[in-house]
Amino acid sequence: MKFDTVIIGGGLSGLTAGIELARAGRKTAIVSAGQSALHFSSGSMELLGYDAQGAPVEHPLEAVEALPDNHPYKLLGRERMEQLLARVEPLFSATGVKVSGTHERNHWRLTPVGEVKPAWLTIEDYLTLDTPDALPWKHVAVVNIEGFLDFFPRFLARGIERRHTTCHFASVTCDAIRHQRESTTEMRATNIARVVHGESVDQLAAALNAVVPEAEAILMPAVTGFDDFRASRRLRSLVKRPLYFMTTMGTSVPGVRSQIMMQKHFRQLGGAYMLGDTVVKGGYNADGTRLLNVETANFGSDRLEADHFIFAAGSFFSHGLNSTPTGVFEPVLGLDVEAPADRNLWFQKDIFKPQPYMRFGLATDRAMHAKKGGKVIDNIHVVGASLPGADALREGSGAGIALLTALDAADKILNRNINS
């Protein structure tokens, strides 16, 4: 099968690049094993949340200058970042995902355990704060779903009450959720979200309207709107007080929903999304300077040929990188990795200190093309968590890196970026 571009990895970066290329009329395929880091999304996306000392960042673009020279943001440069950032909200809007926020100044999100963290963009039905110090209400109700174990109201309340707001507790349910409780394994956020629609939404709204009359707003776990926003929007419209969803432990409804909606949009644009498949081998030209095709588990010898490839398989979490006691390696295409050979340099013994392995990634040139045996493979574009130089968890930069490098790679393939 012949494509213009084959993308390895179907998470945030892979889908972003795929949508841009398909929208431009390029024949594009995404090979996705299934679950990605999006499945654990908080409902917010970060651009750059913390500096090297761990202090929260208010203006993320201003903090980019202090990052290491091999950081993906430094490779892009501030001017290029600003060009790409302007395209992110319209991209999400086209998929049906409405977000709020600005790259000029971080806002704050409330975590499931009551802490606050800086964020860049937040999905429409999630609580955001202008400052980390206070909520805009004197009384809120934290409402759980009866029998739901992945939400911890007491932890959340502790953080809320530190911000001078009184917290009240309640629980609600509906007929569909009662049926789910017959099997405890079904009481997970995504499983509940699959059954909460239609009459179930009306039942939940009636129950929410009856709880804690003095509460000015209601916070509840994100268990509605599995594959689009219809259920969550209807629930919010029927509840007579401001209602906000809180992300849950484990698999995340907003993350899964965002991935489903982006997948659907990509397919509507004509893209081929090969879900539940993995790349197992790559075929190079005679001198090893160009990738010609990839072989997947499902298609076997019916290889996927392309002019361009995007490596969006992530890092250790999604097995884009693997390691043994003797080395760190990319397991499928044999690409070079930017990581020291000495295992003692991979980590610090103090687990609370920054861990060097978090910055490992595929070796690239400054245009973020992959390398193999020291040679640049100019038709393999590396994006997202597969790139070296960033400690995305510590910095709060994962979504920003995924989105911006994916858009940049698509532009290079489309010859939009004159600096490529």
Side-chain angles (χ1 to χ4, degrees), residues 356-386:
Y357 71 86
M358 295 296 291
R359 296 187 181 274
F360 294 175
L362 299 188
T364 71
D365 63 6
R366 292 197 64 81
M368 290 177 275
H369 298 120
K371 293 181 179 181
K372 185 175 188 293
K375 298 177 181 178
V376 173
I377 314 296
D378 63 9
N379 74 328
I380 302 180
H381 307 262
V382 183
V383 300
S386 301

Side-chain angles (χ1 to χ4, degrees), residues 215-418:
E216 302 164 66
I218 297 172
L219 307 180
M220 68 173 289
V223 294
T224 61
F226 180 73
D227 52 9
D228 60 35
F229 283 88
R230 285 179 295 178
S232 58
R233 285 172 180 163
R234 177 165 176 77
L235 183 62
R236 295 186 83 205
S237 73
L238 294 174
V239 174
K240 297 175 182 178
R241 288 166 285 180
L243 170 66
Y244 297 95
F245 298 109
M246 301 296 302
T247 193
T248 60
M249 299 297 187
T251 309
S252 150
V253 168
V256 172
R257 179 175 58 200
S258 296
Q259 182 160 326
I260 289 172
M261 294 178 74
M262 292 180 79
Q263 287 174 13
K264 182 179 178 180
H265 186 60
F266 173 66
R267 286 183 168 128
Q268 288 173 338
L269 292 169
Y273 194 86
M274 300 172 181
L275 183 62
D277 203 358
T278 56
V279 172
V280 297
K281 186 179 180 182
Y284 292 88
N285 64 356
D287 62 0
T289 58
R290 191 169 183 84
L291 184 62
L292 303 178
N293 57 66
V294 293
E295 187 175 311
T296 76
N298 290 349
F299 287 96
S301 60
D302 189 6
R303 298 178 180 89
L304 309 183
E305 300 177 8
D307 297 320
H308 293 274
F309 296 83
I310 295 178
F311 193 98
S315 185
F316 296 104
F317 176 78
S318 53
H319 308 296
L321 290 181
N322 280 344
S323 66
T324 66
T326 59
V328 179
F329 61 98
E330 185 278 304
V332 176
L333 301 179
L335 301 174
D336 295 349
V337 173
E338 192 170 298
D342 184 352
R343 193 169 186 269
N344 291 318
L345 300 178
W346 298 359
F347 62 93
Q348 294 199 65
K349 292 181 179 179
D350 184 342
I351 63 171
F352 296 104
K353 289 185 177 180
Q355 297 298 324
Y357 71 86
M358 295 296 291
R359 296 187 181 274
F360 294 175
L362 299 188
T364 71
D365 63 6
R366 292 197 64 81
M368 290 177 275
H369 298 120
K371 293 181 179 181
K372 185 175 188 293
K375 298 177 181 178
V376 173
I377 314 296
D378 63 9
N379 74 328
I380 302 180
H381 307 262
V382 183
V383 300
S386 301
L387 288 162
D391 185 343
L393 287 177
R394 192 174 183 87
E395 298 167 355
S397 61
I401 292 171
L403 288 160
L404 300 193
T405 58
L407 290 171
D408 185 66
D411 282 358
K412 288 181 169 73
I413 291 169
L414 296 168
N415 294 316
R416 289 177 178 165
N417 182 6
I418 60 173

Side-chain angles (χ1 to χ4, degrees), residues 71-353:
H71 193 286
Y73 288 161
K74 291 295 283 290
L75 297 180
L76 289 171
R78 178 166 176 170
E79 182 178 354
R80 178 65 175 149
M81 286 181 66
E82 290 182 301
Q83 293 171 0
L84 298 168
L85 284 163
R87 293 160 50 186
V88 171
E89 191 279 332
L91 181 143
F92 279 114
S93 181
T95 70
V97 178
K98 184 178 178 181
V99 295
S100 62
T102 172
H103 61 264
E104 295 175 353
R105 182 176 179 271
N106 282 328
H107 58 258
W108 297 83
R109 66 178 179 91
L110 191 62
T111 75
V113 293
E115 298 301 318
V116 293
K117 292 188 174 183
W120 161 37
L121 299 174
T122 295
I123 293 173
E124 66 179 67
D125 43 11
Y126 288 76
L127 178 64
T128 62
L129 306 174
D130 290 331
T131 71
D133 303 318
L135 274 69
W137 310 288
K138 295 293 184 184
H139 297 268
V140 299
V142 176
V143 180
N144 199 6
I145 301 295
E146 288 182 12
F148 183 52
L149 302 179
D150 293 339
F151 186 65
F152 305 96
R154 296 287 175 181
F155 286 164
L156 181 57
R158 185 173 59 184
I160 289 171
E161 290 171 346
R162 286 204 304 265
R163 289 166 178 83
H164 316 294
T165 297
T166 302
C167 199
H168 309 269
F169 300 99
S171 61
V172 296
T173 192
C174 64
D175 293 341
I177 295 175
R178 289 190 188 98
H179 179 71
Q180 289 286 101
R181 288 190 68 183
E182 293 176 10
S183 171
T184 56
T185 61
E186 294 301 310
M187 288 300 288
R188 297 300 184 205
T190 50
N191 293 336
I192 294 171
R194 286 187 177 95
V195 302
V196 176
H197 51 77
E199 185 180 346
S200 298
V201 175
D202 293 17
Q203 292 177 10
L204 277 182
L208 288 166
N209 282 327
V211 300
V212 194
E214 63 268 40
E216 302 164 66
I218 297 172
L219 307 180
M220 68 173 289
V223 294
T224 61
F226 180 73
D227 52 9
D228 60 35
F229 283 88
R230 285 179 295 178
S232 58
R233 285 172 180 163
R234 177 165 176 77
L235 183 62
R236 295 186 83 205
S237 73
L238 294 174
V239 174
K240 297 175 182 178
R241 288 166 285 180
L243 170 66
Y244 297 95
F245 298 109
M246 301 296 302
T247 193
T248 60
M249 299 297 187
T251 309
S252 150
V253 168
V256 172
R257 179 175 58 200
S258 296
Q259 182 160 326
I260 289 172
M261 294 178 74
M262 292 180 79
Q263 287 174 13
K264 182 179 178 180
H265 186 60
F266 173 66
R267 286 183 168 128
Q268 288 173 338
L269 292 169
Y273 194 86
M274 300 172 181
L275 183 62
D277 203 358
T278 56
V279 172
V280 297
K281 186 179 180 182
Y284 292 88
N285 64 356
D287 62 0
T289 58
R290 191 169 183 84
L291 184 62
L292 303 178
N293 57 66
V294 293
E295 187 175 311
T296 76
N298 290 349
F299 287 96
S301 60
D302 189 6
R303 298 178 180 89
L304 309 183
E305 300 177 8
D307 297 320
H308 293 274
F309 296 83
I310 295 178
F311 193 98
S315 185
F316 296 104
F317 176 78
S318 53
H319 308 296
L321 290 181
N322 280 344
S323 66
T324 66
T326 59
V328 179
F329 61 98
E330 185 278 304
V332 176
L333 301 179
L335 301 174
D336 295 349
V337 173
E338 192 170 298
D342 184 352
R343 193 169 186 269
N344 291 318
L345 300 178
W346 298 359
F347 62 93
Q348 294 199 65
K349 292 181 179 179
D350 184 342
I351 63 171
F352 296 104
K353 289 185 177 180

